Amino acid sequence: MNKILIICLTLLLTSCSDILSTILTTKTIYECSGKFTKSGVEGEAPRLFLKFTKYRSIVSLWSDSDGSLNTEFPSKWRDYYSYTKFVGDQLQIYKSKKMVGNFSFLSNVIALDTPYGFYDGNCVEKK
């Protein structure tokens, strides 16, 4: 009987967390094209995909982050930035409490320090 109760509670909590995640966030996906600069040498970069999860204002009661950012170069590299901050129309991107990038919501331009070098690109929102 206890096992059935635990399973039911686990399912209920999982469902509640999915519902809360949907209520408390909005997600936007971008596809970017740009260049890498490493040690002063520029090179073409593969497409970069971004998934920006924006937290709704109520989340500020328990978190000082404005959202999170998932980045992916297909078949090469993925990274997660759990702390972002809005400054005007800019999104500042942090990794380990150090600012590593910036995304402009006006021009959809990203500048990001990655393990492959500095990435600078133009992004288009995917619908």
Side-chain angles (χ1 to χ4, degrees):
M1 183 68 173
N2 283 340
K3 288 182 181 180
I4 293 173
L5 181 63
I6 290 172
I7 291 171
C8 288
L9 283 174
T10 303
L11 291 173
L12 179 65
L13 289 175
T14 303
S15 297
C16 288
S17 69
D18 288 343
I19 292 168
L20 277 177
S21 175
T22 303
I23 292 170
L24 298 176
T25 64
T26 60
K27 293 177 175 53
T28 309
I29 297 175
Y30 296 91
E31 182 177 347
C32 310
S33 59
K35 294 187 184 277
F36 276 117
T37 305
K38 190 167 189 171
S39 301
V41 178
E42 277 194 11
E44 284 294 321
R47 291 175 305 171
L48 169 66
F49 292 90
L50 308 173
K51 179 171 74 173
F52 175 57
T53 303
K54 179 183 176 188
Y55 301 149
R56 298 199 191 269
S57 58
I58 193 167
V59 177
S60 66
L61 295 174
W62 61 86
S63 174
D64 60 347
S65 178
D66 292 330
S68 63
L69 187 70
N70 292 68
T71 59
E72 179 180 328
F73 291 102
S75 305
K76 294 201 179 276
W77 166 74
R78 292 181 182 107
D79 212 345
Y80 176 72
Y81 303 90
S82 61
Y83 187 83
T84 61
K85 209 66 183 154
F86 286 113
V87 178
D89 291 317
Q90 301 285 317
L91 180 71
Q92 294 177 342
I93 305 162
Y94 292 83
K95 186 79 163 185
S96 301
K97 298 185 180 183
K98 176 185 172 201
M99 192 169 111
V100 295
N102 184 326
F103 181 79
S104 169
F105 288 102
L106 287 177
S107 60
N108 286 348
V109 170
I110 188 165
L112 184 64
D113 194 8
T114 75
Y116 290 105
F118 190 80
Y119 181 83
D120 189 21
N122 294 312
C123 304
V124 175
E125 184 178 342
K126 295 188 63 95
K127 301 282 181 177

